[in-house]
Amino acid sequence: MSSIRATPAAALATLRLMTFNLQVGIQTSAYHHYLTRSWQHLLPHPTRQRRLDAMGDVLRSFDIIGLQEVDGGSFRSGNVNQVEYLAHRAGFPHHYKQLNRNLGRLAQHSNGLLSRLTPERIEEHRLPGTLPGRGAIHARFGSGPDALHVFVVHLALSHRSRARQFDYLGEIITPLSHVVVMGDLNCTPDQLHSRHSSFCTALPLKPARPLLSYPSWQPSRALDHILLSSSLEADNLQVLDQLYSDHLPIAVDIHLPAACRRALARPSDQ
Protein backbone atom coordinates (compact mmCIF):
# COMPACT_ATOMS: atom_id res chain seq x y z
CA MET A 1 0.00 0.00 0.00
CA SER A 2 1.16 3.54 -0.67
CA SER A 3 1.48 6.37 1.82
CA ILE A 4 -0.30 9.29 0.09
CA ARG A 5 -2.84 10.99 2.37
CA ALA A 6 -6.22 9.25 2.34
CA THR A 7 -9.70 10.75 2.27
CA PRO A 8 -11.54 10.20 5.62
CA ALA A 9 -14.00 7.37 5.03
CA ALA A 10 -16.67 8.87 7.28
CA ALA A 11 -16.86 11.95 5.06
CA LEU A 12 -18.02 9.94 2.03
CA ALA A 13 -21.73 9.14 1.95
CA THR A 14 -21.44 8.55 -1.80
CA LEU A 15 -18.63 6.66 -3.51
CA ARG A 16 -17.73 6.64 -7.19
CA LEU A 17 -16.77 3.15 -8.35
CA MET A 18 -15.22 1.90 -11.56
CA THR A 19 -14.20 -1.47 -12.94
CA PHE A 20 -11.87 -1.75 -15.92
CA ASN A 21 -10.21 -4.63 -17.75
CA LEU A 22 -7.35 -2.69 -19.30
CA GLN A 23 -5.74 -5.56 -21.27
CA VAL A 24 -2.26 -4.51 -20.04
CA GLY A 25 -2.53 -1.28 -22.04
CA ILE A 26 -2.86 -2.80 -25.51
CA GLN A 27 -4.83 -0.64 -27.93
CA THR A 28 -7.54 -2.79 -29.52
CA SER A 29 -10.12 -1.39 -31.91
CA ALA A 30 -10.86 -4.31 -34.27
CA TYR A 31 -10.95 -8.11 -34.10
CA HIS A 32 -7.89 -8.49 -36.31
CA HIS A 33 -5.85 -6.62 -33.68
CA TYR A 34 -6.02 -9.75 -31.51
CA LEU A 35 -3.70 -11.30 -34.10
CA THR A 36 -1.67 -8.37 -35.37
CA ARG A 37 -1.02 -6.92 -31.90
CA SER A 38 -0.74 -10.18 -29.96
CA TRP A 39 3.01 -9.67 -29.67
CA GLN A 40 2.31 -6.86 -27.20
CA HIS A 41 1.26 -9.49 -24.64
CA LEU A 42 4.91 -10.58 -24.64
CA LEU A 43 6.96 -7.56 -25.68
CA PRO A 44 7.01 -3.90 -24.60
CA HIS A 45 5.46 -1.21 -26.76
CA PRO A 46 6.82 2.37 -26.88
CA THR A 47 3.40 4.04 -26.49
CA ARG A 48 2.10 1.88 -23.65
CA GLN A 49 3.22 4.40 -21.04
CA ARG A 50 1.32 7.19 -22.75
CA ARG A 51 -1.77 5.00 -22.73
CA LEU A 52 -1.39 4.46 -18.98
CA ASP A 53 -1.09 8.22 -18.50
CA ALA A 54 -4.34 8.77 -20.38
CA MET A 55 -6.03 6.08 -18.27
CA GLY A 56 -4.75 7.63 -15.05
CA ASP A 57 -6.22 11.02 -15.98
CA VAL A 58 -9.67 9.39 -16.22
CA LEU A 59 -9.29 7.29 -13.08
CA ARG A 60 -8.55 10.25 -10.80
CA SER A 61 -12.24 11.21 -10.52
CA PHE A 62 -13.20 7.94 -8.79
CA ASP A 63 -12.97 6.67 -5.20
CA ILE A 64 -12.54 2.90 -5.59
CA ILE A 65 -11.41 1.16 -8.77
CA GLY A 66 -11.10 -2.51 -9.63
CA LEU A 67 -8.60 -3.41 -12.35
CA GLN A 68 -8.24 -6.63 -14.32
CA GLU A 69 -5.56 -7.76 -16.79
CA VAL A 70 -2.89 -5.48 -15.40
CA ASP A 71 0.80 -6.33 -15.44
CA GLY A 72 2.58 -6.35 -12.11
CA GLY A 73 5.97 -5.39 -13.54
CA SER A 74 7.67 -7.50 -16.21
CA PHE A 75 9.47 -7.25 -19.54
CA ARG A 76 6.31 -6.64 -21.57
CA SER A 77 5.32 -3.64 -19.43
CA GLY A 78 8.81 -2.19 -19.35
CA ASN A 79 9.15 -3.49 -15.78
CA VAL A 80 6.36 -1.15 -14.70
CA ASN A 81 3.93 -2.28 -12.02
CA GLN A 82 0.83 -0.94 -13.76
CA VAL A 83 -1.28 -0.96 -10.58
CA GLU A 84 1.25 1.13 -8.72
CA TYR A 85 1.82 3.42 -11.70
CA LEU A 86 -1.88 4.16 -12.15
CA ALA A 87 -2.32 4.73 -8.41
CA HIS A 88 0.36 7.40 -8.40
CA ARG A 89 -0.72 8.90 -11.71
CA ALA A 90 -4.33 9.26 -10.50
CA GLY A 91 -3.40 10.28 -6.94
CA PHE A 92 -4.76 7.24 -5.09
CA PRO A 93 -3.42 6.85 -1.54
CA HIS A 94 -3.91 3.07 -1.49
CA HIS A 95 -3.30 0.38 -4.05
CA TYR A 96 -3.05 -3.40 -4.02
CA LYS A 97 -1.88 -5.92 -6.62
CA GLN A 98 -2.98 -9.55 -6.73
CA LEU A 99 -0.60 -11.63 -8.83
CA ASN A 100 -2.58 -14.47 -10.40
CA ARG A 101 -0.26 -15.86 -13.09
CA ASN A 102 3.43 -15.45 -12.48
CA LEU A 103 5.39 -15.91 -15.70
CA GLY A 104 8.53 -14.46 -14.16
CA ARG A 105 10.23 -11.69 -16.10
CA LEU A 106 7.98 -12.33 -19.11
CA ALA A 107 4.57 -11.41 -17.63
CA GLN A 108 2.90 -10.77 -14.27
CA HIS A 109 -0.85 -11.25 -14.82
CA SER A 110 -2.65 -9.42 -12.01
CA ASN A 111 -5.80 -7.86 -10.61
CA GLY A 112 -5.60 -4.47 -8.94
CA LEU A 113 -7.40 -2.28 -6.42
CA LEU A 114 -7.09 1.51 -6.17
CA SER A 115 -8.75 3.26 -3.23
CA ARG A 116 -9.05 6.67 -1.63
CA LEU A 117 -10.44 5.04 1.51
CA THR A 118 -8.16 3.19 3.88
CA PRO A 119 -8.95 -0.56 3.83
CA GLU A 120 -9.08 -2.19 7.24
CA ARG A 121 -8.16 -5.54 5.70
CA ILE A 122 -7.37 -6.99 2.28
CA GLU A 123 -7.52 -10.70 1.50
CA GLU A 124 -6.63 -12.60 -1.65
CA HIS A 125 -8.73 -15.50 -2.91
CA ARG A 126 -7.46 -18.04 -5.42
CA LEU A 127 -10.56 -19.02 -7.33
CA PRO A 128 -11.18 -22.66 -8.26
CA GLY A 129 -11.07 -23.72 -11.88
CA THR A 130 -9.66 -26.16 -14.39
CA LEU A 131 -6.79 -23.78 -15.16
CA PRO A 132 -5.16 -21.89 -12.29
CA GLY A 133 -4.73 -18.14 -12.49
CA ARG A 134 -8.07 -16.58 -11.58
CA GLY A 135 -8.40 -14.56 -8.42
CA ALA A 136 -10.41 -12.13 -6.32
CA ILE A 137 -9.33 -9.26 -4.09
CA HIS A 138 -11.50 -8.79 -1.00
CA ALA A 139 -11.14 -5.39 0.66
CA ARG A 140 -12.99 -4.55 3.88
CA PHE A 141 -13.62 -0.91 4.72
CA GLY A 142 -14.68 -0.22 8.30
CA SER A 143 -15.36 -2.58 11.18
CA GLY A 144 -18.14 -4.83 12.40
CA PRO A 145 -21.20 -6.25 10.63
CA ASP A 146 -21.89 -3.00 8.75
CA ALA A 147 -18.45 -2.75 7.12
CA LEU A 148 -18.29 -2.27 3.36
CA HIS A 149 -16.86 -5.26 1.45
CA VAL A 150 -15.49 -4.74 -2.06
CA PHE A 151 -14.50 -7.68 -4.28
CA VAL A 152 -12.46 -7.23 -7.47
CA VAL A 153 -12.74 -10.33 -9.65
CA HIS A 154 -11.81 -11.72 -13.05
CA LEU A 155 -13.66 -14.96 -13.74
CA ALA A 156 -13.00 -17.84 -16.10
CA LEU A 157 -14.06 -18.14 -19.72
CA SER A 158 -15.51 -21.66 -19.37
CA HIS A 159 -18.96 -22.11 -17.86
CA ARG A 160 -17.89 -25.03 -15.65
CA SER A 161 -14.99 -23.17 -14.01
CA ARG A 162 -17.02 -19.98 -13.74
CA ALA A 163 -19.83 -21.85 -11.95
CA ARG A 164 -17.35 -23.11 -9.35
CA GLN A 165 -16.00 -19.60 -8.92
CA PHE A 166 -19.47 -18.10 -8.42
CA ASP A 167 -20.26 -20.80 -5.83
CA TYR A 168 -17.00 -20.01 -4.02
CA LEU A 169 -17.75 -16.29 -3.96
CA GLY A 170 -21.35 -16.86 -2.93
CA GLU A 171 -20.29 -18.69 0.23
CA ILE A 172 -18.09 -15.75 1.23
CA ILE A 173 -20.67 -13.09 0.41
CA THR A 174 -23.79 -14.67 1.94
CA PRO A 175 -23.17 -13.55 5.57
CA LEU A 176 -22.10 -10.01 4.60
CA SER A 177 -24.43 -6.98 4.62
CA HIS A 178 -22.89 -4.34 2.35
CA VAL A 179 -21.14 -5.82 -0.66
CA VAL A 180 -19.78 -4.71 -4.03
CA VAL A 181 -18.57 -7.27 -6.59
CA MET A 182 -16.97 -5.69 -9.63
CA GLY A 183 -14.93 -6.96 -12.50
CA ASP A 184 -14.86 -8.90 -15.72
CA LEU A 185 -17.27 -11.76 -15.04
CA ASN A 186 -17.05 -13.16 -18.58
CA CYS A 187 -20.81 -13.66 -18.68
CA THR A 188 -23.91 -11.63 -19.44
CA PRO A 189 -26.63 -10.83 -16.88
CA ASP A 190 -28.93 -13.43 -18.47
CA GLN A 191 -26.24 -16.10 -18.10
CA LEU A 192 -25.64 -15.04 -14.52
CA HIS A 193 -29.34 -15.30 -13.65
CA SER A 194 -29.96 -18.60 -15.40
CA ARG A 195 -26.80 -20.51 -14.53
CA HIS A 196 -25.60 -19.12 -11.21
CA SER A 197 -28.74 -18.84 -9.09
CA SER A 198 -26.95 -19.52 -5.78
CA PHE A 199 -24.69 -16.52 -6.31
CA CYS A 200 -27.65 -14.32 -7.27
CA THR A 201 -29.37 -15.39 -4.06
CA ALA A 202 -26.32 -14.29 -2.08
CA LEU A 203 -26.09 -10.99 -3.94
CA PRO A 204 -29.26 -9.65 -5.62
CA LEU A 205 -28.32 -8.01 -8.89
CA LYS A 206 -28.22 -4.23 -8.52
CA PRO A 207 -28.02 -2.26 -10.70
CA ALA A 208 -30.05 -4.52 -12.98
CA ARG A 209 -29.64 -2.58 -16.22
CA PRO A 210 -26.84 -4.23 -18.23
CA LEU A 211 -24.24 -2.04 -19.89
CA LEU A 212 -22.60 -3.26 -23.08
CA SER A 213 -18.84 -3.24 -22.54
CA TYR A 214 -17.33 -5.72 -24.99
CA PRO A 215 -15.85 -5.42 -27.55
CA SER A 216 -14.94 -1.82 -26.88
CA TRP A 217 -15.04 -0.68 -30.54
CA GLN A 218 -18.56 -2.08 -31.14
CA PRO A 219 -19.99 -3.14 -27.77
CA SER A 220 -22.56 -5.92 -28.00
CA ARG A 221 -22.13 -7.91 -24.75
CA ALA A 222 -22.35 -6.99 -21.08
CA LEU A 223 -19.38 -8.84 -19.58
CA ASP A 224 -18.14 -6.25 -17.07
CA HIS A 225 -20.28 -5.64 -14.00
CA ILE A 226 -20.61 -3.76 -10.74
CA LEU A 227 -23.01 -5.79 -8.57
CA LEU A 228 -24.37 -4.43 -5.31
CA SER A 229 -26.11 -5.84 -2.27
CA SER A 230 -29.66 -4.58 -1.67
CA SER A 231 -28.47 -2.21 1.08
CA LEU A 232 -26.55 -0.02 -1.38
CA GLU A 233 -28.32 2.50 -3.59
CA ALA A 234 -26.98 2.96 -7.12
CA ASP A 235 -26.94 6.11 -9.18
CA ASN A 236 -25.35 7.38 -12.39
CA LEU A 237 -24.56 3.97 -13.85
CA GLN A 238 -22.56 4.47 -17.03
CA VAL A 239 -20.17 2.99 -19.52
CA LEU A 240 -17.16 5.20 -20.21
CA ASP A 241 -15.38 6.00 -23.44
CA GLN A 242 -12.82 3.61 -24.85
CA LEU A 243 -9.45 3.68 -23.09
CA TYR A 244 -7.48 1.54 -25.58
CA SER A 245 -8.49 -1.83 -24.12
CA ASP A 246 -10.85 -4.35 -25.72
CA HIS A 247 -13.22 -3.71 -22.77
CA LEU A 248 -14.96 -0.47 -21.82
CA PRO A 249 -14.82 0.77 -18.21
CA ILE A 250 -18.05 0.58 -16.17
CA ALA A 251 -18.80 3.14 -13.44
CA VAL A 252 -21.50 3.79 -10.84
CA ASP A 253 -22.10 6.02 -7.83
CA ILE A 254 -23.22 4.21 -4.68
CA HIS A 255 -24.93 5.75 -1.66
CA LEU A 256 -23.97 4.18 1.67
CA PRO A 257 -26.58 3.61 4.39
CA ALA A 258 -26.05 5.37 7.71
CA ALA A 259 -25.00 2.17 9.49
CA CYS A 260 -22.29 1.56 6.91
CA ARG A 261 -21.00 5.13 7.21
CA ARG A 262 -20.76 4.70 10.98
CA ALA A 263 -18.84 1.45 10.49
CA LEU A 264 -16.37 3.23 8.24
CA ALA A 265 -15.77 5.78 10.98
CA ARG A 266 -15.12 3.23 13.76
CA PRO A 267 -11.56 2.28 14.72
CA SER A 268 -10.30 -1.04 13.42
CA ASP A 269 -11.30 -4.16 15.35
CA GLN A 270 -8.29 -6.17 14.09
Side-chain angles (χ1 to χ4, degrees):
M1 306 294 287
S2 66
S3 58
I4 306 171
R5 183 174 60 84
T7 301
L12 295 175
T14 299
L15 299 176
R16 301 199 70 204
L17 308 182
M18 177 203 277
T19 181
F20 183 30
N21 178 330
L22 58 85
Q23 200 193 19
V24 299
I26 298 174
Q27 184 171 11
T28 305
S29 54
Y31 281 111
H32 69 266
H33 288 162
Y34 285 118
L35 177 62
T36 60
R37 299 178 181 177
S38 61
W39 61 270
Q40 295 183 38
H41 285 280
L42 301 173
L43 300 173
H45 189 279
T47 65
R48 197 184 310 246
Q49 212 64 22
R50 292 202 299 271
R51 295 172 193 161
L52 290 180
D53 289 343
M55 293 175 189
D57 292 342
V58 174
L59 302 187
R60 69 173 62 246
S61 63
F62 294 88
D63 297 307
I64 300 176
I65 297 175
L67 301 173
Q68 305 88 49
E69 289 196 31
V70 284
D71 192 87
S74 66
F75 178 68
R76 66 174 177 173
S77 65
N79 296 314
V80 171
N81 178 338
Q82 294 179 332
V83 178
E84 181 180 52
Y85 187 90
L86 288 171
H88 286 288
R89 175 75 183 185
F92 279 86
H94 304 288
H95 63 273
Y96 188 84
K97 179 194 75 176
Q98 179 190 33
L99 177 59
N100 293 315
R101 288 194 180 121
N102 186 353
L103 300 183
R105 297 177 62 185
L106 186 63
Q108 299 278 297
H109 298 280
S110 305
N111 290 334
L113 172 75
L114 311 181
S115 178
R116 301 198 186 282
L117 281 68
T118 305
E120 296 285 355
R121 177 178 297 175
I122 293 183
E123 299 178 52
E124 290 190 15
H125 296 277
R126 301 296 171 184
L127 298 179
T130 304
L131 295 174
R134 299 290 182 175
I137 299 172
H138 175 192
R140 174 169 62 84
F141 299 90
S143 302
D146 284 303
L148 176 66
H149 297 264
V150 175
F151 294 81
V152 177
V153 302
H154 190 188
L155 301 189
L157 292 169
S158 75
H159 165 65
R160 178 174 296 182
S161 292
R162 198 166 56 244
R164 293 175 60 193
Q165 292 163 5
F166 273 121
D167 288 344
Y168 179 94
L169 290 169
E171 290 183 5
I172 299 172
I173 291 167
T174 296
L176 306 178
S177 297
H178 312 297
V179 180
V180 176
V181 175
M182 57 181 173
D184 179 357
L185 303 188
N186 271 313
C187 66
T188 65
D190 288 343
Q191 292 171 325
L192 184 53
H193 276 297
S194 62
R195 301 180 182 179
H196 309 294
S197 58
S198 61
F199 177 80
C200 294
T201 300
L203 185 71
L205 286 181
K206 287 180 57 183
R209 179 167 63 93
L211 293 177
L212 303 179
S213 61
Y214 179 86
S216 58
W217 59 92
Q218 193 175 6
S220 59
R221 302 181 68 194
L223 300 184
D224 303 270
H225 305 273
I226 301 178
L227 309 179
L228 309 176
S229 58
S230 58
S231 64
L232 303 174
E233 293 297 325
D235 191 19
N236 196 28
L237 177 65
Q238 59 182 311
V239 60
L240 304 182
D241 292 337
Q242 185 174 5
L243 283 175
Y244 306 107
S245 172
D246 59 344
H247 287 249
L248 295 174
I250 299 295
V252 69
D253 296 347
I254 64 169
H255 306 298
L256 304 179
C260 187
R261 297 198 301 270
R262 289 193 294 270
L264 292 176
R266 279 199 295 268
S268 173
D269 60 1
Q270 296 186 77

